[in-house]
């Protein structure tokens, strides 16, 4: 079981000196199956569907989906500090394979 100590992707990328933006890292995680897109109806504009990213079952090895305080019907991924180096290595390998 992974530790309960979680942090945002942006902060962990900076702390570990990973030369990827959070946007790029999220795109890579979608490609390798660690993230997936979910949808919800907009709370302010009925009929409008909003997309957001959640950790897939495979991605749950690296973090948790926590409720978003601004949007209670939505979660946001947060990543385990102790397994982040392993995740970062996968992201860098996927980025290299994609040819930047």
């Amino acid at each position: 079981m992974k530790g309960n100590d979680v942090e945002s992707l942006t902060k962990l990328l900076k702390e570990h000196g990973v030369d990827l933006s959070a946007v790029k890292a999220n795109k890579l995680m979608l490609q390798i199956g660690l993230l997936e897109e979910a949808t919800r109806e907009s709370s302010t504009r009925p009929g409008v569907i909003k997309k957001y990213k959640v950790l897939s079952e495979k991605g749950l090895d690296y973090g948790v989906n926590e409720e978003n305080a601004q949007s209670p019907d939505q979660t946001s991924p947060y990543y385990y500090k102790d397994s982040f180096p392993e995740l970062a290595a996968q992201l860098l390998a996927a980025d290299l394979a994609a040819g930047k």
Side-chain angles (χ1 to χ4, degrees):
M1 182 72 185
K2 303 290 181 190
N4 292 332
D5 204 6
V6 295
E7 192 57 75
S8 71
L9 180 60
T10 300
K11 187 167 183 182
L12 287 170
L13 288 168
K14 286 180 185 173
E15 283 180 4
H16 291 266
V18 178
D19 190 25
L20 293 172
S21 68
V23 170
K24 176 75 171 182
N26 280 331
K27 286 180 182 177
L28 292 167
M29 284 192 278
L30 283 166
Q31 288 174 8
I32 61 177
L34 299 178
L35 278 181
E36 53 195 24
E37 284 193 338
T39 58
R40 67 171 176 82
E41 188 170 342
S42 172
S43 58
T44 56
R45 295 174 34 211
V48 173
I49 302 298
K50 300 277 191 168
K51 290 183 181 180
Y52 61 99
K53 292 168 184 60
V54 296
L55 287 163
S56 65
E57 191 166 330
K58 183 177 166 184
L60 290 173
D61 286 343
Y62 301 102
V64 294
N65 292 311
E66 292 189 354
E67 186 175 310
N68 184 325
Q70 284 79 35
S71 301
D73 293 342
Q74 178 176 322
T75 61
S76 297
Y78 285 86
Y79 299 88
Y80 298 126
K81 290 181 178 183
D82 59 357
S83 64
F84 188 76
E86 183 183 333
L87 175 58
Q90 284 193 47
L91 294 174
L92 290 170
D95 189 42
L96 190 61
K100 291 194 177 188

mmCIF file of all heavy atoms in Angstrom, residues 50-93:
data_model
loop_
_atom_site.group_PDB
_atom_site.id
_atom_site.type_symbol
_atom_site.label_atom_id
_atom_site.label_comp_id
_atom_site.label_asym_id
_atom_site.label_seq_id
_atom_site.Cartn_x
_atom_site.Cartn_y
_atom_site.Cartn_z
ATOM 1 N N LYS A 50 -18.782 19.276 -18.919
ATOM 2 C CA LYS A 50 -17.388 19.608 -18.616
ATOM 3 C C LYS A 50 -16.574 18.320 -18.579
ATOM 4 O O LYS A 50 -17.043 17.293 -18.092
ATOM 5 C CB LYS A 50 -17.285 20.285 -17.241
ATOM 6 C CG LYS A 50 -18.060 21.571 -17.115
ATOM 7 C CD LYS A 50 -17.257 22.687 -17.679
ATOM 8 C CE LYS A 50 -17.874 24.019 -17.329
ATOM 9 N NZ LYS A 50 -17.013 25.123 -17.607
ATOM 10 N N LYS A 51 -15.340 18.387 -19.084
ATOM 11 C CA LYS A 51 -14.428 17.249 -19.030
ATOM 12 C C LYS A 51 -13.378 17.499 -17.955
ATOM 13 O O LYS A 51 -12.981 18.639 -17.728
ATOM 14 C CB LYS A 51 -13.704 17.068 -20.364
ATOM 15 C CG LYS A 51 -14.579 16.590 -21.484
ATOM 16 C CD LYS A 51 -13.748 16.380 -22.735
ATOM 17 C CE LYS A 51 -14.607 15.927 -23.891
ATOM 18 N NZ LYS A 51 -13.828 15.727 -25.109
ATOM 19 N N TYR A 52 -12.958 16.420 -17.308
ATOM 20 C CA TYR A 52 -11.869 16.510 -16.331
ATOM 21 C C TYR A 52 -11.135 15.181 -16.309
ATOM 22 O O TYR A 52 -11.621 14.178 -16.838
ATOM 23 C CB TYR A 52 -12.383 16.912 -14.946
ATOM 24 C CG TYR A 52 -13.366 15.950 -14.317
ATOM 25 C CD1 TYR A 52 -12.945 15.024 -13.367
ATOM 26 C CD2 TYR A 52 -14.712 15.962 -14.660
ATOM 27 C CE1 TYR A 52 -13.840 14.144 -12.776
ATOM 28 C CE2 TYR A 52 -15.612 15.100 -14.084
ATOM 29 C CZ TYR A 52 -15.171 14.188 -13.137
ATOM 30 O OH TYR A 52 -16.055 13.318 -12.556
ATOM 31 N N LYS A 53 -9.957 15.190 -15.740
ATOM 32 C CA LYS A 53 -9.123 13.991 -15.736
ATOM 33 C C LYS A 53 -9.157 13.305 -14.370
ATOM 34 O O LYS A 53 -9.163 13.977 -13.344
ATOM 35 C CB LYS A 53 -7.688 14.349 -16.112
ATOM 36 C CG LYS A 53 -7.581 14.785 -17.573
ATOM 37 C CD LYS A 53 -6.253 15.418 -17.880
ATOM 38 C CE LYS A 53 -6.198 15.931 -19.293
ATOM 39 N NZ LYS A 53 -7.199 16.949 -19.593
ATOM 40 N N VAL A 54 -9.187 11.971 -14.415
ATOM 41 C CA VAL A 54 -9.134 11.157 -13.195
ATOM 42 C C VAL A 54 -8.106 10.056 -13.393
ATOM 43 O O VAL A 54 -7.832 9.636 -14.519
ATOM 44 C CB VAL A 54 -10.509 10.533 -12.846
ATOM 45 C CG1 VAL A 54 -11.539 11.604 -12.528
ATOM 46 C CG2 VAL A 54 -11.001 9.626 -13.938
ATOM 47 N N LEU A 55 -7.537 9.612 -12.298
ATOM 48 C CA LEU A 55 -6.625 8.479 -12.369
ATOM 49 C C LEU A 55 -7.411 7.228 -12.728
ATOM 50 O O LEU A 55 -8.477 6.972 -12.158
ATOM 51 C CB LEU A 55 -5.905 8.286 -11.041
ATOM 52 C CG LEU A 55 -4.837 9.328 -10.723
ATOM 53 C CD1 LEU A 55 -4.475 9.301 -9.246
ATOM 54 C CD2 LEU A 55 -3.614 9.110 -11.584
ATOM 55 N N SER A 56 -6.893 6.462 -13.681
ATOM 56 C CA SER A 56 -7.509 5.188 -14.048
ATOM 57 C C SER A 56 -7.164 4.159 -12.968
ATOM 58 O O SER A 56 -6.396 4.445 -12.045
ATOM 59 C CB SER A 56 -6.947 4.717 -15.390
ATOM 60 O OG SER A 56 -5.567 4.431 -15.254
ATOM 61 N N GLU A 57 -7.704 2.969 -13.109
ATOM 62 C CA GLU A 57 -7.387 1.916 -12.139
ATOM 63 C C GLU A 57 -5.872 1.689 -12.093
ATOM 64 O O GLU A 57 -5.293 1.565 -11.019
ATOM 65 C CB GLU A 57 -8.115 0.628 -12.510
ATOM 66 C CG GLU A 57 -8.030 -0.408 -11.411
ATOM 67 C CD GLU A 57 -9.004 -1.554 -11.606
ATOM 68 O OE1 GLU A 57 -10.087 -1.348 -12.186
ATOM 69 O OE2 GLU A 57 -8.649 -2.661 -11.169
ATOM 70 N N LYS A 58 -5.235 1.666 -13.244
ATOM 71 C CA LYS A 58 -3.780 1.513 -13.332
ATOM 72 C C LYS A 58 -3.063 2.704 -12.680
ATOM 73 O O LYS A 58 -2.044 2.547 -12.013
ATOM 74 C CB LYS A 58 -3.402 1.392 -14.813
ATOM 75 C CG LYS A 58 -1.962 1.163 -15.122
ATOM 76 C CD LYS A 58 -1.812 1.006 -16.652
ATOM 77 C CE LYS A 58 -0.379 1.110 -17.091
ATOM 78 N NZ LYS A 58 -0.257 1.058 -18.561
ATOM 79 N N GLY A 59 -3.622 3.891 -12.857
ATOM 80 C CA GLY A 59 -3.028 5.104 -12.300
ATOM 81 C C GLY A 59 -3.136 5.203 -10.792
ATOM 82 O O GLY A 59 -2.372 5.935 -10.153
ATOM 83 N N LEU A 60 -4.075 4.468 -10.206
ATOM 84 C CA LEU A 60 -4.250 4.517 -8.751
ATOM 85 C C LEU A 60 -3.052 3.949 -7.996
ATOM 86 O O LEU A 60 -2.956 4.110 -6.785
ATOM 87 C CB LEU A 60 -5.549 3.816 -8.346
ATOM 88 C CG LEU A 60 -6.820 4.559 -8.761
ATOM 89 C CD1 LEU A 60 -8.054 3.709 -8.485
ATOM 90 C CD2 LEU A 60 -6.928 5.909 -8.066
ATOM 91 N N ASP A 61 -2.125 3.295 -8.716
ATOM 92 C CA ASP A 61 -0.869 2.867 -8.089
ATOM 93 C C ASP A 61 -0.014 4.072 -7.727
ATOM 94 O O ASP A 61 0.889 3.967 -6.901
ATOM 95 C CB ASP A 61 -0.059 1.972 -9.037
ATOM 96 C CG ASP A 61 -0.650 0.582 -9.178
ATOM 97 O OD1 ASP A 61 -1.476 0.184 -8.317
ATOM 98 O OD2 ASP A 61 -0.286 -0.110 -10.144
ATOM 99 N N TYR A 62 -0.279 5.212 -8.358
ATOM 100 C CA TYR A 62 0.565 6.397 -8.190
ATOM 101 C C TYR A 62 -0.128 7.556 -7.496
ATOM 102 O O TYR A 62 0.495 8.596 -7.255
ATOM 103 C CB TYR A 62 1.083 6.862 -9.550
ATOM 104 C CG TYR A 62 1.876 5.784 -10.228
ATOM 105 C CD1 TYR A 62 1.315 5.032 -11.257
ATOM 106 C CD2 TYR A 62 3.165 5.479 -9.816
ATOM 107 C CE1 TYR A 62 2.036 4.021 -11.862
ATOM 108 C CE2 TYR A 62 3.886 4.461 -10.410
ATOM 109 C CZ TYR A 62 3.313 3.741 -11.432
ATOM 110 O OH TYR A 62 4.027 2.726 -12.022
ATOM 111 N N GLY A 63 -1.415 7.415 -7.174
ATOM 112 C CA GLY A 63 -2.105 8.521 -6.521
ATOM 113 C C GLY A 63 -3.552 8.201 -6.220
ATOM 114 O O GLY A 63 -3.979 7.055 -6.288
ATOM 115 N N VAL A 64 -4.290 9.257 -5.875
ATOM 116 C CA VAL A 64 -5.700 9.127 -5.510
ATOM 117 C C VAL A 64 -6.497 10.223 -6.213
ATOM 118 O O VAL A 64 -5.955 11.270 -6.560
ATOM 119 C CB VAL A 64 -5.922 9.248 -3.982
ATOM 120 C CG1 VAL A 64 -5.283 8.100 -3.246
ATOM 121 C CG2 VAL A 64 -5.415 10.578 -3.453
ATOM 122 N N ASN A 65 -7.767 9.961 -6.406
ATOM 123 C CA ASN A 65 -8.693 10.972 -6.920
ATOM 124 C C ASN A 65 -9.396 11.585 -5.716
ATOM 125 O O ASN A 65 -10.144 10.905 -5.026
ATOM 126 C CB ASN A 65 -9.719 10.335 -7.860
ATOM 127 C CG ASN A 65 -9.090 9.834 -9.136
ATOM 128 O OD1 ASN A 65 -8.348 10.541 -9.784
ATOM 129 N ND2 ASN A 65 -9.397 8.598 -9.497
ATOM 130 N N GLU A 66 -9.112 12.862 -5.439
ATOM 131 C CA GLU A 66 -9.722 13.535 -4.298
ATOM 132 C C GLU A 66 -10.795 14.496 -4.776
ATOM 133 O O GLU A 66 -10.667 15.107 -5.828
ATOM 134 C CB GLU A 66 -8.660 14.309 -3.500
ATOM 135 C CG GLU A 66 -7.681 13.398 -2.806
ATOM 136 C CD GLU A 66 -6.760 14.135 -1.848
ATOM 137 O OE1 GLU A 66 -6.798 15.384 -1.795
ATOM 138 O OE2 GLU A 66 -6.003 13.452 -1.151
ATOM 139 N N GLU A 67 -11.848 14.639 -3.976
ATOM 140 C CA GLU A 67 -12.937 15.537 -4.339
ATOM 141 C C GLU A 67 -12.411 16.956 -4.522
ATOM 142 O O GLU A 67 -11.605 17.441 -3.735
ATOM 143 C CB GLU A 67 -14.017 15.520 -3.256
ATOM 144 C CG GLU A 67 -15.241 16.330 -3.643
ATOM 145 C CD GLU A 67 -16.361 16.229 -2.622
ATOM 146 O OE1 GLU A 67 -16.711 15.097 -2.248
ATOM 147 O OE2 GLU A 67 -16.859 17.285 -2.217
ATOM 148 N N ASN A 68 -12.881 17.597 -5.563
ATOM 149 C CA ASN A 68 -12.496 18.969 -5.869
ATOM 150 C C ASN A 68 -13.412 19.906 -5.083
ATOM 151 O O ASN A 68 -14.622 19.877 -5.254
ATOM 152 C CB ASN A 68 -12.629 19.200 -7.377
ATOM 153 C CG ASN A 68 -12.174 20.556 -7.824
ATOM 154 O OD1 ASN A 68 -12.339 21.553 -7.126
ATOM 155 N ND2 ASN A 68 -11.598 20.610 -9.006
ATOM 156 N N ALA A 69 -12.840 20.756 -4.231
ATOM 157 C CA ALA A 69 -13.633 21.647 -3.381
ATOM 158 C C ALA A 69 -14.474 22.629 -4.199
ATOM 159 O O ALA A 69 -15.583 22.978 -3.807
ATOM 160 C CB ALA A 69 -12.710 22.408 -2.430
ATOM 161 N N GLN A 70 -13.956 23.080 -5.360
ATOM 162 C CA GLN A 70 -14.692 24.028 -6.189
ATOM 163 C C GLN A 70 -15.823 23.349 -6.981
ATOM 164 O O GLN A 70 -16.782 23.999 -7.350
ATOM 165 C CB GLN A 70 -13.760 24.743 -7.186
ATOM 166 C CG GLN A 70 -12.896 25.817 -6.557
ATOM 167 C CD GLN A 70 -11.692 25.253 -5.831
ATOM 168 O OE1 GLN A 70 -11.120 24.267 -6.254
ATOM 169 N NE2 GLN A 70 -11.322 25.856 -4.723
ATOM 170 N N SER A 71 -15.675 22.067 -7.247
ATOM 171 C CA SER A 71 -16.677 21.315 -8.017
ATOM 172 C C SER A 71 -16.926 19.978 -7.334
ATOM 173 O O SER A 71 -16.269 18.986 -7.634
ATOM 174 C CB SER A 71 -16.181 21.078 -9.449
ATOM 175 O OG SER A 71 -15.923 22.291 -10.095
ATOM 176 N N PRO A 72 -17.869 19.939 -6.405
ATOM 177 C CA PRO A 72 -18.113 18.709 -5.639
ATOM 178 C C PRO A 72 -18.438 17.467 -6.466
ATOM 179 O O PRO A 72 -18.256 16.358 -6.001
ATOM 180 C CB PRO A 72 -19.274 19.082 -4.724
ATOM 181 C CG PRO A 72 -19.224 20.560 -4.629
ATOM 182 C CD PRO A 72 -18.695 21.035 -5.956
ATOM 183 N N ASP A 73 -18.923 17.643 -7.709
ATOM 184 C CA ASP A 73 -19.231 16.492 -8.558
ATOM 185 C C ASP A 73 -17.993 15.991 -9.303
ATOM 186 O O ASP A 73 -18.103 15.136 -10.171
ATOM 187 C CB ASP A 73 -20.295 16.861 -9.603
ATOM 188 C CG ASP A 73 -21.640 17.153 -8.968
ATOM 189 O OD1 ASP A 73 -21.849 16.757 -7.811
ATOM 190 O OD2 ASP A 73 -22.480 17.785 -9.635
ATOM 191 N N GLN A 74 -16.854 16.541 -8.990
ATOM 192 C CA GLN A 74 -15.628 16.273 -9.756
ATOM 193 C C GLN A 74 -14.500 15.919 -8.791
ATOM 194 O O GLN A 74 -14.471 16.392 -7.667
ATOM 195 C CB GLN A 74 -15.278 17.542 -10.539
ATOM 196 C CG GLN A 74 -14.034 17.479 -11.358
ATOM 197 C CD GLN A 74 -13.863 18.766 -12.171
ATOM 198 O OE1 GLN A 74 -14.812 19.335 -12.674
ATOM 199 N NE2 GLN A 74 -12.636 19.208 -12.272
ATOM 200 N N THR A 75 -13.562 15.094 -9.263
ATOM 201 C CA THR A 75 -12.369 14.807 -8.478
ATOM 202 C C THR A 75 -11.148 15.334 -9.214
ATOM 203 O O THR A 75 -11.208 15.624 -10.408
ATOM 204 C CB THR A 75 -12.192 13.287 -8.236
ATOM 205 O OG1 THR A 75 -12.055 12.644 -9.506
ATOM 206 C CG2 THR A 75 -13.353 12.695 -7.462
ATOM 207 N N SER A 76 -10.059 15.454 -8.483
ATOM 208 C CA SER A 76 -8.774 15.851 -9.060
ATOM 209 C C SER A 76 -7.730 14.849 -8.603
ATOM 210 O O SER A 76 -7.746 14.422 -7.448
ATOM 211 C CB SER A 76 -8.373 17.246 -8.577
ATOM 212 O OG SER A 76 -9.297 18.202 -9.012
ATOM 213 N N PRO A 77 -6.811 14.474 -9.487
ATOM 214 C CA PRO A 77 -5.775 13.526 -9.080
ATOM 215 C C PRO A 77 -4.688 14.201 -8.244
ATOM 216 O O PRO A 77 -4.270 15.322 -8.531
ATOM 217 C CB PRO A 77 -5.205 13.023 -10.407
ATOM 218 C CG PRO A 77 -5.623 13.994 -11.439
ATOM 219 C CD PRO A 77 -6.776 14.769 -10.912
ATOM 220 N N TYR A 78 -4.278 13.502 -7.211
ATOM 221 C CA TYR A 78 -3.127 13.885 -6.396
ATOM 222 C C TYR A 78 -2.220 12.672 -6.330
ATOM 223 O O TYR A 78 -2.696 11.539 -6.311
ATOM 224 C CB TYR A 78 -3.552 14.320 -4.990
ATOM 225 C CG TYR A 78 -4.167 15.697 -5.005
ATOM 226 C CD1 TYR A 78 -5.520 15.881 -5.278
ATOM 227 C CD2 TYR A 78 -3.385 16.823 -4.789
ATOM 228 C CE1 TYR A 78 -6.081 17.143 -5.327
ATOM 229 C CE2 TYR A 78 -3.934 18.099 -4.827
ATOM 230 C CZ TYR A 78 -5.282 18.244 -5.095
ATOM 231 O OH TYR A 78 -5.823 19.494 -5.154
ATOM 232 N N TYR A 79 -0.914 12.905 -6.276
ATOM 233 C CA TYR A 79 0.056 11.834 -6.463
ATOM 234 C C TYR A 79 0.838 11.549 -5.196
ATOM 235 O O TYR A 79 1.214 12.464 -4.461
ATOM 236 C CB TYR A 79 0.994 12.203 -7.627
ATOM 237 C CG TYR A 79 0.192 12.371 -8.899
ATOM 238 C CD1 TYR A 79 -0.378 13.587 -9.239
ATOM 239 C CD2 TYR A 79 -0.073 11.276 -9.707
ATOM 240 C CE1 TYR A 79 -1.172 13.718 -10.368
ATOM 241 C CE2 TYR A 79 -0.865 11.404 -10.840
ATOM 242 C CZ TYR A 79 -1.408 12.625 -11.159
ATOM 243 O OH TYR A 79 -2.203 12.743 -12.261
ATOM 244 N N TYR A 80 1.104 10.238 -4.973
ATOM 245 C CA TYR A 80 1.878 9.821 -3.807
ATOM 246 C C TYR A 80 3.314 10.308 -3.947
ATOM 247 O O TYR A 80 3.962 10.086 -4.973
ATOM 248 C CB TYR A 80 1.903 8.290 -3.695
ATOM 249 C CG TYR A 80 0.557 7.646 -3.492
ATOM 250 C CD1 TYR A 80 0.129 6.635 -4.340
ATOM 251 C CD2 TYR A 80 -0.274 8.033 -2.442
ATOM 252 C CE1 TYR A 80 -1.103 6.018 -4.155
ATOM 253 C CE2 TYR A 80 -1.506 7.429 -2.253
ATOM 254 C CZ TYR A 80 -1.912 6.420 -3.101
ATOM 255 O OH TYR A 80 -3.127 5.820 -2.915
ATOM 256 N N LYS A 81 3.806 10.947 -2.892
ATOM 257 C CA LYS A 81 5.187 11.435 -2.909
ATOM 258 C C LYS A 81 6.178 10.283 -3.010
ATOM 259 O O LYS A 81 7.171 10.382 -3.718
ATOM 260 C CB LYS A 81 5.477 12.260 -1.655
ATOM 261 C CG LYS A 81 4.774 13.594 -1.625
ATOM 262 C CD LYS A 81 5.133 14.347 -0.361
ATOM 263 C CE LYS A 81 4.480 15.715 -0.320
ATOM 264 N NZ LYS A 81 4.892 16.460 0.877
ATOM 265 N N ASP A 82 5.891 9.173 -2.316
ATOM 266 C CA ASP A 82 6.871 8.072 -2.263
ATOM 267 C C ASP A 82 6.980 7.285 -3.569
ATOM 268 O O ASP A 82 8.014 6.684 -3.844
ATOM 269 C CB ASP A 82 6.609 7.140 -1.087
ATOM 270 C CG ASP A 82 5.232 6.499 -1.087
ATOM 271 O OD1 ASP A 82 4.423 6.806 -1.986
ATOM 272 O OD2 ASP A 82 4.959 5.700 -0.178
ATOM 273 N N SER A 83 5.961 7.302 -4.413
ATOM 274 C CA SER A 83 6.056 6.569 -5.684
ATOM 275 C C SER A 83 6.249 7.502 -6.879
ATOM 276 O O SER A 83 6.300 7.051 -8.016
ATOM 277 C CB SER A 83 4.829 5.678 -5.896
ATOM 278 O OG SER A 83 3.661 6.468 -6.012
ATOM 279 N N PHE A 84 6.382 8.803 -6.618
ATOM 280 C CA PHE A 84 6.515 9.737 -7.722
ATOM 281 C C PHE A 84 7.760 9.508 -8.581
ATOM 282 O O PHE A 84 7.673 9.627 -9.808
ATOM 283 C CB PHE A 84 6.453 11.203 -7.258
ATOM 284 C CG PHE A 84 6.391 12.146 -8.417
ATOM 285 C CD1 PHE A 84 5.206 12.312 -9.126
ATOM 286 C CD2 PHE A 84 7.516 12.818 -8.859
ATOM 287 C CE1 PHE A 84 5.141 13.144 -10.235
ATOM 288 C CE2 PHE A 84 7.464 13.654 -9.966
ATOM 289 C CZ PHE A 84 6.270 13.817 -10.652
ATOM 290 N N PRO A 85 8.918 9.160 -7.994
ATOM 291 C CA PRO A 85 10.079 8.914 -8.860
ATOM 292 C C PRO A 85 9.808 7.829 -9.916
ATOM 293 O O PRO A 85 10.234 7.960 -11.066
ATOM 294 C CB PRO A 85 11.172 8.487 -7.879
ATOM 295 C CG PRO A 85 10.802 9.195 -6.609
ATOM 296 C CD PRO A 85 9.294 9.139 -6.576
ATOM 297 N N GLU A 86 9.086 6.794 -9.546
ATOM 298 C CA GLU A 86 8.729 5.727 -10.497
ATOM 299 C C GLU A 86 7.795 6.273 -11.583
ATOM 300 O O GLU A 86 7.971 5.986 -12.771
ATOM 301 C CB GLU A 86 8.047 4.588 -9.733
ATOM 302 C CG GLU A 86 7.695 3.392 -10.581
ATOM 303 C CD GLU A 86 6.966 2.322 -9.789
ATOM 304 O OE1 GLU A 86 7.145 2.217 -8.555
ATOM 305 O OE2 GLU A 86 6.194 1.587 -10.420
ATOM 306 N N LEU A 87 6.827 7.090 -11.183
ATOM 307 C CA LEU A 87 5.921 7.712 -12.148
ATOM 308 C C LEU A 87 6.695 8.649 -13.071
ATOM 309 O O LEU A 87 6.499 8.640 -14.288
ATOM 310 C CB LEU A 87 4.816 8.471 -11.418
ATOM 311 C CG LEU A 87 3.854 9.280 -12.298
ATOM 312 C CD1 LEU A 87 3.151 8.407 -13.322
ATOM 313 C CD2 LEU A 87 2.840 10.013 -11.426
ATOM 314 N N ALA A 88 7.586 9.449 -12.504
ATOM 315 C CA ALA A 88 8.378 10.391 -13.304
ATOM 316 C C ALA A 88 9.200 9.646 -14.356
ATOM 317 O O ALA A 88 9.290 10.088 -15.506
ATOM 318 C CB ALA A 88 9.282 11.218 -12.394
ATOM 319 N N ALA A 89 9.773 8.511 -13.986
ATOM 320 C CA ALA A 89 10.563 7.714 -14.935
ATOM 321 C C ALA A 89 9.683 7.239 -16.088
ATOM 322 O O ALA A 89 10.102 7.266 -17.253
ATOM 323 C CB ALA A 89 11.212 6.530 -14.220
ATOM 324 N N GLN A 90 8.461 6.823 -15.792
ATOM 325 C CA GLN A 90 7.530 6.393 -16.847
ATOM 326 C C GLN A 90 7.169 7.553 -17.768
ATOM 327 O O GLN A 90 7.087 7.395 -18.990
ATOM 328 C CB GLN A 90 6.253 5.821 -16.241
ATOM 329 C CG GLN A 90 6.407 4.431 -15.681
ATOM 330 C CD GLN A 90 5.052 3.816 -15.397
ATOM 331 O OE1 GLN A 90 4.144 3.872 -16.219
ATOM 332 N NE2 GLN A 90 4.910 3.239 -14.219
ATOM 333 N N LEU A 91 6.952 8.730 -17.183
ATOM 334 C CA LEU A 91 6.602 9.905 -17.979
ATOM 335 C C LEU A 91 7.742 10.308 -18.897
ATOM 336 O O LEU A 91 7.528 10.606 -20.072
ATOM 337 C CB LEU A 91 6.222 11.081 -17.074
ATOM 338 C CG LEU A 91 4.951 10.910 -16.260
ATOM 339 C CD1 LEU A 91 4.768 12.082 -15.298
ATOM 340 C CD2 LEU A 91 3.738 10.775 -17.159
ATOM 341 N N LEU A 92 8.965 10.300 -18.374
ATOM 342 C CA LEU A 92 10.121 10.671 -19.189
ATOM 343 C C LEU A 92 10.356 9.658 -20.306
ATOM 344 O O LEU A 92 10.686 10.033 -21.428
ATOM 345 C CB LEU A 92 11.352 10.834 -18.305
ATOM 346 C CG LEU A 92 11.301 12.068 -17.384
ATOM 347 C CD1 LEU A 92 12.426 12.027 -16.372
ATOM 348 C CD2 LEU A 92 11.304 13.361 -18.172
ATOM 349 N N ALA A 93 10.148 8.373 -20.007
ATOM 350 C CA ALA A 93 10.310 7.342 -21.034
ATOM 351 C C ALA A 93 9.232 7.509 -22.114
ATOM 352 O O ALA A 93 9.537 7.384 -23.323
ATOM 353 C CB ALA A 93 10.207 5.948 -20.398
#
